[in-house]
Amino acid sequence: MTPGDAPTLSDRLTAAAAWPVRVLFQILDKPFRLIQRIGGIKTMPYIFLLPNLAFFGLFVVIPLFINFAFSLTGGTNLYLTDRVYTGTEQYAFLFDCGNYADPTSCREDRFWRGIYNTATFIFFQVTFLVLFSLITALILNRKIRARGFFRAVFFFPVLLSPVVVALIWKWILLRDGILNAALVSMGFDKILFFVSPEWSMFWAIFVSIWANMGFYTLILLAGLQAIPPDLYEAAEMDGTSTERVFRRITLPLLWPNMLVVIVLALIKGVQIFDEVYVLTGGGPGTATQFIVQYIYNTGFTNQVQNFGLASAASVVLGVVLFVLTMMQLAATRRRDNG
Amino acid sequence: MTNRLTKILGSSAMALSLMAGTALAETELRMTWYNDGNEGEVMRGILDRFEEANPDITVTLDVVPYKAILESLPVQLAAGDGPDIARVTDLGGLSEYYMDLTPHVGDPEYWRANFGPFLKWLDPDGDAISGFMTQLTVTGPYVNKTLFEQAGVEMPGEGATWDDWAAASKAVADALDIPIPMAWDRSGHRVSGPAISMGAQMFDAEGNPALVDDGLKMMATKLYDWHQDGTMAKELWGSVSGSTYLGANEDFANAQVVMYMSGSWQIPQFAETIGDAFDWWAVPAPCGPAACTGMPGGAALVAMKDTDHPEEVGQLMDFLAQEENLAEFYGETLFIPGHLGLAESGVEFATDDPRAAHALQTFASAVPGISPVAFDLQGYPSNRVMFNALISRLGEAIVGELTLDEAFDRMSQDVEQQLAEQSR
């Protein structure tokens, strides 16, 4: 807008929206100047971070400590002060095993089955998730027809709630679901997917990949687009084969993104609960009962709500997640350092 | 302009303060409720009458899934954040959160005379008046009589055993290509009646819980075998984990099940969803060597001690418990009355469906034959610990994760461990 022009509606709205911000800045100006005068310029970043740190502390750090404190107690009281101190008894109970490779030899067999099921799940889920995400990203990075449409199609499931995703697939896979109807129409017998441990695990992995692949594809696509095109042009001029271009250019330059994807997928895989809980209920038996569902069942669904044991299992899970997060941080740093 | 703005602001503030004043004079009571059939609607109608008679009290009916009553409500109550009133089925297990209504009801003697035996279920260690039964229930089977007729298989008669019914249901299913010959709710409560019929005692001589004995093993083994030979479909018991409840009511209503072990609370739902599509028939509890019993049970409306409005809660509970209101409630919902006066005088059930009338008659007449062991188990406050151990471990055996013997050992260990945790 040049001087003399009449303000448009947009200008008026912008000015109106800026007004509260201006007032806020005017209010905060003096106290912030005072803080800077007292604490020096180096204090200011911490002051700006304070609201976020307070929020993080209140909703993450303090509950973490409360959870740890719960894991050292027993009984059914909800209030920490009313609970009985048991020391490391809950941990000893969880780790009391004749043979760690055989859950039936453990006192808390369901905890170990949860661990093994989670390990199986993340091994297959992460492997195929990364593989399919990479393939999809490579295809979507090419100049194909309706590329924008396909990018949206692959990303769409990410926008759905995990519960909605699980319910959709449950309706497809039930005895009288769409898939069985299709099998019958082709002359096959119905398959009771949720009665078979193998099929249940397969669908838990498949649905999880279907729901989350778009997100990881997007990360890899961004990585692919950041690779300088002149490298590919040079390779083309040299007559390098497609396979060699992928191995020598694409994969090494995409590796930092791949690492982030792998670690993020691992963390999400360990935390898996809602999709599978709705899809299979953890069954058949405990075939798809993962560690988070074990914690939920122990803490909430039994008549005797064993918060101490559930908290101890949460701490174990927290340690695993901490290790994975450190791996992700290391991978990110390596990428940032080139 | 400024003057006009001041006037608008002033009048708005006055209106808001008046509204706030009205709001302050009003007491809102929250009632957590779940539905099996139409009982929520019937209760709402009665509550509307209460609100008309007591304009300073409003009652909000929070309808939640049954799962929330089992899993979320106990946590809310433990956190002191529960409703004023709730409809519960874990009658004794939540008793520590109930309020004693004795000082708040008009005539405690009326309550003791009409709800006496059930008050003990709500307060096993005392004699408090905590609420009343919205329904008495008895577990027992339903059969699809039409399928029996179509298959030309005779329905087993009085005194038939579980084996007789299992064989007959299988014969019908095989003849008509019905996918599920027999289905049981995935619930420890449902298994307990038949287990007691087989001789399960549930408690030792000192009255301590003793879940696994020969009677329970006999029933559990039958259930296991029926899952292996196809009499029962693994979809129900084998498709989820832990103590998750699953019912086969929808499969039965869709004529996918020949015989369905559930209970009297299904009557209103079947009357509505099945109607006269086929003859759904309640049959007496099949027999074992020790008895022919189902499990008693029911749901109760209870007042919670953390309420901020004990007087108003007492007033409401007293209103709801009056004979004329309960007669309407039981009559409209087709629930077996939990009010002794009404049980004696009879309730006029709002149905002309002969199947519903027959089912009500079948379940009501089953009450005198219920085993004392079943009553003791229902009155035991930690009975869900036993039910959950039974169902979860048997489920794991059915899908092949445990042998039956391992499952029995684990059941005992689970009960022992959870009761030890509870007693800390």
Side-chain angles (χ1 to χ4, degrees):
Chain A
M1 190 174 77
T2 55
D5 284 352
T8 62
L9 179 64
S10 167
D11 294 333
R12 281 171 196 274
L13 286 174
T14 310
W19 180 78
V21 179
R22 211 165 43 238
V23 170
L24 183 72
F25 278 19
Q26 278 168 5
I27 293 167
L28 294 176
D29 186 56
K30 280 190 179 164
F32 272 77
R33 280 179 191 279
L34 185 68
I35 293 166
Q36 188 174 330
R37 202 175 305 143
I38 297 166
I41 192 82
K42 285 185 179 170
T43 324
M44 293 316 286
Y46 298 102
I47 299 294
F48 290 126
L49 282 176
L50 200 61
N52 200 20
L53 280 176
F55 196 79
F56 184 75
L58 192 64
F59 292 107
V60 178
V61 180
I62 294 174
L64 208 75
F65 283 109
I66 293 174
N67 183 70
F68 181 68
F70 261 84
S71 74
L72 303 176
T73 63
T76 53
N77 283 314
L78 189 62
Y79 291 106
L80 196 54
T81 46
D82 299 336
R83 295 178 62 81
V84 184
Y85 177 74
T86 57
T88 56
E89 212 176 285
Q90 306 286 12
Y91 293 95
F93 184 74
L94 286 178
F95 286 92
D96 184 0
C97 266
N99 172 10
Y100 286 108
D102 175 17
T104 52
S105 71
C106 301
R107 267 184 84 184
E108 190 58 348
D109 55 333
R110 286 174 183 147
F111 172 73
W112 288 97
R113 284 208 207 117
I115 297 260
Y116 287 120
N117 289 341
T118 309
T120 309
F121 176 83
I122 56 176
F123 176 76
F124 289 107
Q125 194 249 15
V126 173
T127 306
F128 288 107
L129 181 66
V130 174
L131 188 69
F132 291 140
S133 299
L134 179 63
I135 294 169
T136 314
L138 287 169
I139 294 169
L140 292 178
N141 195 40
R142 299 169 77 110
K143 284 177 185 152
I144 54 168
R145 195 181 283 180
R147 187 166 65 166
F149 169 76
F150 284 114
R151 282 182 184 178
V153 164
F154 281 100
F155 191 72
F156 180 68
V158 179
L159 303 175
L160 295 174
S161 139
V163 174
V164 173
V165 166
L167 282 175
I168 290 169
W169 280 99
K170 195 168 183 164
W171 288 329
I172 293 172
L173 299 169
L174 280 173
R175 173 162 47 98
D176 296 318
I178 300 167
L179 188 54
N180 269 322
L183 286 174
V184 170
S185 71
M186 288 186 284
F188 296 105
D189 285 339
K190 284 181 181 178
I191 301 174
L192 302 179
F193 294 110
F194 296 126
V195 168
S196 150
E198 294 78 19
W199 274 118
S200 292
M201 182 62 93
F202 169 81
W203 285 113
I205 293 167
F206 178 88
V207 171
S208 174
I209 291 174
W210 181 85
N212 295 299
M213 205 179 80
F215 175 68
Y216 299 103
T217 302
L218 212 64
I219 296 176
L220 294 178
L221 196 58
L224 286 172
Q225 288 176 350
I227 298 173
D230 47 349
L231 290 176
Y232 290 110
E233 285 163 14
E236 198 181 342
M237 277 192 282
D238 290 346
T240 316
S241 69
T242 314
E243 182 263 328
R244 196 172 162 80
V245 168
F246 177 73
R247 267 196 308 117
R248 291 302 172 97
I249 299 176
T250 308
L251 212 51
L253 291 176
L254 195 61
W255 187 241
N257 291 62
M258 290 275 285
L259 259 179
V260 171
V261 163
I262 291 167
V263 179
L264 279 179
L266 272 173
I267 293 171
K268 266 203 100 176
V270 175
Q271 293 173 322
I272 187 79
F273 172 63
D274 35 15
E275 280 157 28
V276 181
Y277 184 69
V278 176
L279 185 72
T280 68
T286 54
T288 55
Q289 184 184 290
F290 299 122
I291 186 69
V292 179
Q293 192 187 340
Y294 166 80
I295 293 167
Y296 169 71
N297 286 346
T298 307
F300 298 105
T301 64
N302 292 332
Q303 185 181 24
V304 177
Q305 296 176 325
N306 198 337
F307 301 124
L309 194 62
S311 299
S314 299
V315 171
V316 175
L317 177 67
V319 171
V320 174
L321 288 173
F322 179 76
V323 171
L324 291 174
T325 308
M326 288 297 111
M327 280 166 59
Q328 193 228 346
L329 278 176
T332 314
R333 273 200 201 115
R334 199 178 305 164
R335 186 188 60 175
D336 291 346
N337 294 337
Chain B
M1 173 76 182
T2 313
N3 202 16
R4 200 175 148 207
L5 186 68
T6 313
K7 277 182 186 169
I8 292 170
L9 283 173
S11 52
S12 306
M14 193 178 285
L16 276 172
S17 63
L18 281 171
M19 281 163 69
T22 315
L24 283 175
E26 211 170 71
T27 302
E28 188 196 24
L29 300 180
R30 300 202 80 95
M31 183 187 286
T32 299
W33 187 267
Y34 73 93
N35 284 324
D36 280 324
N38 66 341
E39 63 267 37
E41 288 166 42
V42 180
M43 177 53 75
R44 187 64 259 174
I46 299 171
L47 290 175
D48 288 344
R49 285 211 304 276
F50 174 79
E51 287 177 347
E52 261 173 46
N54 301 274
D56 55 334
I57 304 175
T58 57
V59 188
T60 303
L61 197 66
D62 294 313
V63 179
V64 298
Y66 179 56
K67 201 174 164 65
I69 298 284
L70 292 180
E71 293 176 8
S72 309
L73 183 66
V75 181
Q76 283 180 302
L77 293 170
D81 195 26
D84 300 291
I85 298 167
R87 184 177 183 222
V88 299
T89 52
D90 186 5
L91 307 178
L94 298 174
S95 59
E96 63 180 299
Y97 306 113
Y98 301 161
M99 177 172 98
D100 184 2
L101 288 164
T102 312
H104 304 293
V105 295
D107 180 7
E109 276 319 303
Y110 164 81
W111 281 73
R112 294 194 196 288
N114 288 295
F115 306 112
F118 315 118
L119 294 177
K120 203 72 191 156
W121 284 358
L122 300 174
D123 185 21
D125 303 322
D127 61 349
I129 296 173
S130 307
F132 61 87
M133 303 298 286
T134 56
Q135 72 197 109
L136 268 189
T137 60
V138 187
T139 63
Y142 296 86
V143 294
N144 186 327
K145 200 176 162 203
T146 306
L147 291 180
F148 273 90
E149 286 161 6
Q150 286 172 354
V153 175
E154 199 172 328
M155 279 177 30
E158 194 78 27
T161 64
W162 274 107
D163 287 327
D164 298 333
W165 276 106
S169 303
K170 186 89 170 48
V172 172
D174 289 346
L176 301 174
D177 201 19
I178 302 297
I180 307 173
M182 187 161 70
W184 291 33
D185 284 340
R186 194 178 189 276
S187 151
H189 183 260
R190 242 58 92 228
V191 182
S192 295
I196 292 166
S197 297
M198 296 296 162
Q201 292 300 307
M202 300 295 175
F203 299 95
D204 62 18
E206 283 79 45
N208 300 314
L211 177 62
V212 180
D213 61 11
D214 290 343
L216 184 120
K217 282 183 179 176
M218 194 188 293
M219 192 66 241
T221 307
K222 283 185 193 300
L223 280 166
Y224 176 86
D225 291 341
W226 289 334
H227 276 96
Q228 308 310 317
D229 71 14
T231 304
M232 290 179 76
K234 282 187 182 172
E235 278 167 280
L236 205 62
W237 281 52
S239 67
V240 288
S241 72
S243 56
T244 305
Y245 169 83
L246 272 183
N249 47 327
E250 287 180 17
D251 286 323
F252 182 75
N254 289 324
Q256 302 287 294
V257 176
V258 180
M259 182 183 206
Y260 172 38
M261 174 61 181
S262 187
S264 57
W265 57 95
Q266 303 284 8
I267 297 171
Q269 192 194 129
F270 287 162
E272 196 181 318
T273 56
I274 304 174
D276 59 0
F278 61 81
D279 276 342
W280 50 278
W281 219 242
V283 294
C287 297
C292 314
T293 185
M295 272 292 287
L301 196 66
V302 289
M304 298 301 176
K305 69 179 178 190
D306 277 342
T307 178
D308 293 329
H309 314 288
E311 278 299 326
E312 289 84 353
V313 166
Q315 206 178 331
L316 172 61
M317 292 293 283
D318 216 11
F319 176 84
L320 295 175
Q322 293 312 302
E323 195 164 319
E324 62 274 19
N325 290 328
L326 281 181
E328 177 189 337
F329 182 78
Y330 296 134
E332 294 288 329
T333 56
L334 310 186
F335 285 160
I336 297 174
H339 179 286
L340 296 181
L342 286 170
E344 201 173 314
S345 61
V347 171
E348 201 173 312
F349 289 110
T351 181
D352 51 7
D353 183 336
R355 291 157 288 267
H358 175 265
L360 280 164
Q361 171 60 29
T362 304
F363 284 115
S365 62
V367 176
I370 292 173
S371 158
V373 179
F375 276 110
D376 288 347
L377 181 60
Q378 181 57 30
Y380 177 55
S382 298
N383 54 17
R384 272 189 62 219
V385 171
M386 298 165 77
F387 296 151
N388 290 353
L390 166 58
I391 214 73
S392 56
R393 294 304 184 175
L394 187 53
E396 288 168 23
I398 284 168
V399 298
E401 286 180 355
L402 299 175
T403 64
L404 261 181
D405 285 337
E406 284 171 344
F408 293 139
D409 288 345
R410 289 287 182 182
M411 284 177 201
S412 301
Q413 285 168 19
D414 287 353
V415 172
E416 194 183 324
Q417 190 243 333
Q418 291 209 36
L419 292 180
E421 193 66 30
Q422 193 178 39
S423 65
R424 277 190 207 262

